[in-house]
Amino acid sequence: MYDTIRRIHLYTGVGLLAFVVMYFFTGYALIHGDWFPRGEPVKSTREEPLATAIGASPEEYSAVLQRQFGLAGKRQPPVRTNDGGWRFEYIHPGESHQAVVPPAGGTVRITTTSQFPARQTLVQFHRLHRYGGGWVYDLWMVMYDLASASMIVFALSGIYLWYKLTRRRLLGWTLLAISFLFTAGTMLYLVHAP
Amino acid sequence: MRKWLLRLHLYLGLLCSGYLMVFGVSSLVFNHPLDFTKPSKATVTWERSLPLPPINRENNEAESEAVRDALALMGWTIPWETHRDGGGDLHFGLARPGKHYTIHVLRGAGAVRVEERREGYWTVVRSLHGNHGVPHSNLMTAWGWYTEICTLFVLFAAVTGVYLFASRKKDRRAAWAVLGAATALSLGFMLYVRYGG
């Protein structure tokens, strides 16, 4: 049993190391934004003629636009604009595209934002959430889920390994108590405190 | 050297284990916002008479923060939920992990009326993810330090974890093979998402 748990801890770690390190490094950039140089991204806009896609749902149309105009990125849920048109967005770290189709159709205005400062690109990696938007991003979400679940696996398997590895456990129990009591106490406080 | 790195990996890991559990669960919730994890809309309204801080028409934010502190609440005042009514009374929103308040300063009555929305445990779990402090809260400042320690620990654990398996014969080859292949594929995937996706 010890060997099995040890291998789970080991192979989860080496298998997901790149993603786990990426998430913690980009998370650090998220909470310490002032450590990184500031800058403004570059925007460009173009108008293109547009053929209609009769019978296509907004989500299908988003995919059509993406293919037709080479708009790389994770497709976001289409949004109806106030004037009755549609706004389609495609986001990936380092670049985003917004395609706006007026109610009458016929043209599309595409705004591309690129050359984000380094910190923003790192944060965009960190904030890629939710399935949908293309198979590449569904695969990314699988890796995201695995990296998230690995935190729980590391904690639980690590506790088991410590328990089996050590005979004098007072320090370990103390550290575990501090960790879980502080975490649980903070949660309870935030839910119940005024 | 190996003995000390193992001890640090082990004991810092135990110290961070509670945080990592919350981290893992909150990350999964971000990716899977199921209905039962959404904020509750339960609202409670209460009033309190108290000495009000001086009115500050020039600086709504400063007055909001002074009222927050007088109420012994914690959180961020919300500029886009702040306005002054015709009588000069301030109304503002206040947010903190787990609760949202709409606060009405009633100078004529010498009181404050608070609409408190209690968002529930799942919102708190999400809010603790990477939280590095909440205004007017020593506890959350401590949580912010805990976030720093645990974030740095995970990066340290990644490095020491590799050292620990590499310095032992058992599973070394297989672990290097998995590490090499997985890291190459992962980095390639990240580059594809960045430049081609």
Side-chain angles (χ1 to χ4, degrees), chain A residues 93-145:
Chain A
E95 193 177 66
S96 66
H97 307 279
Q98 184 187 84
V100 178
V101 178
T107 59
V108 59
R109 187 174 77 249
I110 298 171
T111 303
T112 297
T113 309
S114 58
Q115 295 179 42
F116 287 95
R119 180 197 172 245
Q120 258 178 286
T121 301
L122 292 173
V123 169
Q124 285 161 349
F125 267 111
H126 196 88
R127 285 190 163 153
L128 269 178
H129 293 153
R130 307 209 189 161
Y131 286 85
W135 70 266
V136 169
Y137 296 97
D138 286 342
L139 182 58
W140 185 274
M141 292 308 119
V142 171
M143 296 308 297
Y144 174 109
D145 276 346

Side-chain angles (χ1 to χ4, degrees), chain A residues 28 32 92 130 145 179 190 193, chain B residues 18 31-32 96 99 148 193:
Chain A
Y28 216 64
H32 288 294
H92 72 115
R130 307 209 189 161
D145 276 346
S179 176
L190 289 174
Chain B
N31 216 24
H32 302 277
R96 58 94 152 160
K99 288 192 180 175
E148 288 285 331
V193 166

Side-chain angles (χ1 to χ4, degrees), chain A residues 3 6-7 9-11 14-22 24-25 28 31-32 66 72-74 92-95 121 125-126 128-131 135-137 139-141 143-145 148-149 151-152 154-156 158-159 161-162 165-166 168 171-172 175-176 178-180 182-183 185-194, chain B residues 6 9-12 14-28 30-33 72-74 96-99 101 116 120-121 124-125 128-130 132 137 139-140 142-143 146-148 150-152 154-155 158 161-162 165 168 170-171 174-175 178-179 182-183 186-187 189-190 192-197:
Chain A
D3 272 347
R6 182 185 163 272
R7 286 197 174 110
H9 192 93
L10 170 64
Y11 289 110
V14 295
L16 292 169
L17 185 126
F19 266 83
V20 168
V21 168
M22 182 274 291
F24 277 79
F25 181 71
Y28 216 64
I31 60 178
H32 288 294
Q66 186 171 41
K74 180 176 162 63
H92 72 115
E95 193 177 66
T121 301
F125 267 111
H126 196 88
L128 269 178
H129 293 153
R130 307 209 189 161
Y131 286 85
W135 70 266
V136 169
Y137 296 97
L139 182 58
W140 185 274
M141 292 308 119
M143 296 308 297
Y144 174 109
D145 276 346
S148 304
M151 295 295 108
I152 302 168
F154 290 141
L156 294 176
I159 292 169
L161 292 173
W162 153 75
L165 207 57
T166 54
R168 281 185 282 184
L171 177 59
L175 293 170
L176 266 181
I178 291 170
S179 176
F180 280 93
F182 182 50
T183 303
T186 302
M187 287 174 58
L188 285 168
Y189 179 79
L190 289 174
V191 170
H192 297 292
Chain B
L6 176 61
H9 186 106
L10 196 69
Y11 290 110
L12 289 175
L14 291 176
L15 182 65
C16 295
S17 52
Y19 188 93
L20 292 183
M21 301 273 296
V22 166
F23 215 73
V25 171
S26 58
S27 303
L28 288 169
F30 285 138
N31 216 24
H32 302 277
L73 296 177
M74 60 170 153
R96 58 94 152 160
K99 288 192 180 175
Y101 308 87
E116 178 183 311
Y121 278 99
V124 165
V125 165
L128 287 177
H129 184 109
H132 56 292
S137 172
L139 176 67
M140 294 311 295
W143 183 266
Y146 194 36
T147 293
E148 288 285 331
C150 296
T151 304
L152 292 171
V154 170
L155 299 173
V162 172
F165 87 70
R168 223 181 112 146
K170 197 173 185 178
D171 293 313
V178 170
L179 179 65
T183 302
S186 298
L187 290 177
F189 188 31
M190 290 176 203
Y192 178 77
V193 166
R194 168 62 183 91
Y195 293 105

